[in-house]
Amino acid sequence: MNILIADKLSDNAVSALQKLGAEIRLEPDLGADDLPGAIADSEVLVVRSTKVRAETMESGKSLSLIIRAGAGVNTIDLETASRMGIHVANCPGKNADAVAELAIGMMIALDRNIVANTVDLRSGVWNKKLYSKANGLKGRTIGILGLGSIGTRVAAIAAAMGMEVAAWSRSLTPDRAEQLGLRFCESPHALAELSDVISIHLAAAKETEHLINADFLKRMKSSSYLINTSRGEVIDSKALLAAAKEKHHKIALDVYEDEPAAGDAVFPHTELAEIITGTHHIGASTTQAADAIADEVVNIVRAYVESGKPVNLVNARDKSPAQYKLVVRHYNKVGVLASVLDELRSAKINIEEMENSIFSGGKAAVCTLKLDDRPDDDVISRIGATEHIIQVHIK
Ligand code: 3PG
């Protein structure tokens, strides 16, 4: 198996992958435009935020698995991957602590004006009077938008700092919020109105694009802080700039709309840069997170090698529409399943899913086939009468 690693991955992970029998090509500097030419006969491609477009998948004739060495998969053309039968897997939650640490660091930096303090010191200015004003965070309310693994960690750290924690997410219910000790917000707007600090932890999706818009920003208290370490597209940056100028919110961002890819580039939001505390999409970039991600990449490849199916698949169909389940118990002999498939093909019945498990001793097996239509009684009895089939039934 050939693996192209188009980003940095720890030496330990590379040798663990080699132990799984993989040939590794390590080319950490490849960009999105280089991938179609570099993919060659790689079966597995490992990337961080480098975009994987349709051209890469079309050029990679052996490509069968793309691993996003991180959480967000908005950089991968999932539609094309699914259409071409290419697995896409990610490493959910593995860099959550790193991103949560940055969000909390940004909150403290905003509250105590750490960046402006530093800039003044560097130019020889001492102004204890100016910088002695801060709201303080204990007892303030942090509103968390999105309660996945990162949002949950931010909630825990903020609670440990004595903050009140409020949250909204699509799936959060009042009962679940109560169990977690959080104040339930029924909408992002409700959260905007009551929060002293807003920290965004939403995935990029159609429903979250520009969720933070002029209307949301209007509802924020003017003294409140806004922190985004999730995806730039969640915020309408023009509306943010206008609101920041008008209401002087303190803002910290790690991610931006149309942000440049990794490496050196020109930062496009120069006006925003004047106002915000900003970092260069480094939320996940700690050694701890890189190690956890690398271990997960190895787990994904191991599962793929052992079962043909990677863990953390993001482009598997959620629920099969197949309504019928054919269960065939059979002796573990050559050609038994082929004859079942032949019967189903003649009856024009499509198999949506299929799983064959062998009993201990290797003599017998049971195969479950999910079908798009019900085979009639004749088909079932023909299958039942086939040599080496013990029993067949439809559910
Ligand atoms: C993620 O989606 O995992 C984070 O945004 C990190 O992205 P990165 O791998 O480009 O740092």
Side-chain angles (χ1 to χ4, degrees):
M1 180 176 53
N2 291 332
I3 303 184
L4 172 60
I5 303 177
D7 248 306
K8 284 201 183 80
L9 203 68
S10 71
D11 292 348
N12 285 351
V14 172
S15 56
L17 291 172
Q18 279 162 337
K19 278 192 197 126
L20 293 173
E23 284 283 321
I24 308 288
R25 208 152 40 97
L26 200 55
E27 296 197 39
D29 297 324
L30 292 176
D33 295 336
D34 307 319
L35 282 180
I39 191 76
D41 60 350
S42 305
E43 186 177 337
V44 180
L45 169 65
V46 181
V47 281
R48 273 184 79 157
S49 287
T50 308
K51 288 199 168 80
V52 185
R53 306 193 184 109
E55 303 89 270
T56 300
M57 301 180 209
E58 279 146 13
S59 308
K61 299 292 174 223
S62 308
L63 188 61
S64 163
L65 169 62
I66 299 168
I67 301 178
R68 164 61 167 115
V73 287
N74 57 317
T75 41
I76 296 171
D77 182 345
L78 291 180
E79 214 178 293
T80 302
S82 303
R83 183 168 46 73
M84 295 181 67
I86 297 172
H87 301 290
V88 180
N90 69 346
C91 304
K94 298 299 166 188
N95 54 27
D97 292 300
V99 180
E101 286 163 10
L102 180 67
I104 294 289
M106 285 176 148
M107 173 173 73
I108 298 171
L110 290 180
D111 192 53
R112 310 305 289 267
N113 292 307
I114 293 175
V115 175
N117 268 268
T118 307
V119 169
D120 270 355
L121 278 188
R122 284 187 182 158
S123 53
V125 174
W126 176 260
N127 199 339
K128 179 165 165 128
K129 198 170 164 207
L130 174 68
Y131 293 121
S132 292
K133 296 170 201 143
N135 290 339
L137 296 165
K138 186 167 180 185
R140 309 284 178 209
T141 298
I142 180 169
I144 297 177
L145 282 174
L147 212 55
S149 41
I150 302 170
T152 309
R153 279 165 176 75
V154 170
I157 302 171
M161 290 170 68
M163 298 184 77
E164 301 293 325
V165 184
W168 173 87
S169 85
R170 266 183 309 170
S171 54
L172 185 66
T173 60
D175 283 352
R176 180 75 188 130
E178 200 183 324
Q179 274 169 13
L180 295 170
L182 309 172
R183 178 163 175 184
F184 172 76
C185 296
E186 64 187 10
S187 67
H189 285 173
L191 179 139
E193 282 161 12
L194 62 84
S195 302
D196 300 304
V197 179
I198 295 169
S199 193
I200 307 170
H201 303 288
L202 297 164
K206 266 203 177 68
E207 313 81 65
T208 57
E209 190 175 339
H210 287 190
L211 191 91
I212 310 303
N213 51 23
D215 198 10
F216 180 98
L217 294 160
K218 206 163 58 199
R219 289 164 196 266
M220 283 172 59
K221 303 178 193 178
S222 50
S223 58
S224 61
Y225 312 159
L226 182 70
I227 299 161
N228 187 16
T229 51
S230 64
R231 281 295 178 265
E233 291 69 24
V234 172
I235 299 184
D236 175 346
S237 18
K238 283 202 186 102
L240 180 67
L241 188 61
K245 282 181 176 167
E246 189 198 325
K247 288 168 78 182
H248 305 291
H249 291 300
K250 287 187 177 179
I251 298 162
L253 305 177
D254 183 45
V255 288
Y256 311 87
E257 280 192 290
D258 308 317
E259 77 182 33
D264 289 346
V266 174
F267 182 62
H269 301 280
T270 41
E271 261 194 285
L272 208 52
E274 298 286 322
I275 297 170
I276 60 165
T277 289
T279 46
H280 305 211
H281 196 158
I282 47 129
S285 302
T286 66
T287 307
Q288 177 272 330
D291 289 346
I293 293 276
D295 289 349
E296 192 65 357
V297 168
V298 176
N299 286 338
I300 294 169
V301 175
R302 184 177 297 112
Y304 175 70
V305 169
E306 285 170 2
S307 69
K309 206 172 157 193
V311 288
N312 308 337
L313 251 188
V314 297
N315 63 338
R317 184 164 61 186
D318 278 348
K319 201 170 176 292
S320 161
Q323 295 182 30
Y324 304 97
K325 211 158 51 169
L326 186 73
V327 181
V328 182
R329 284 200 296 123
H330 60 95
Y331 294 113
N332 186 20
K333 298 277 184 193
V334 173
V336 191
L337 291 179
S339 50
V340 175
L341 304 193
D342 277 347
E343 285 293 349
L344 293 171
R345 181 178 50 194
S346 307
K348 300 208 172 341
I349 291 171
N350 193 37
I351 301 160
E352 299 275 340
E353 285 173 33
M354 180 169 160
E355 197 180 330
N356 193 44
S357 328
I358 312 273
F359 290 96
S360 100
K363 296 270 186 268
V366 61
C367 183
T368 305
L369 302 103
K370 290 197 184 158
L371 309 176
D372 70 342
D373 202 357
R374 191 187 198 287
D376 63 27
D377 292 347
D378 284 350
V379 174
I380 294 175
S381 63
R382 273 201 302 278
I383 293 174
T386 309
E387 197 188 6
H388 304 312
I389 285 187
I390 306 168
Q391 189 200 54
V392 61
H393 64 272
I394 184 106
K395 287 183 183 169

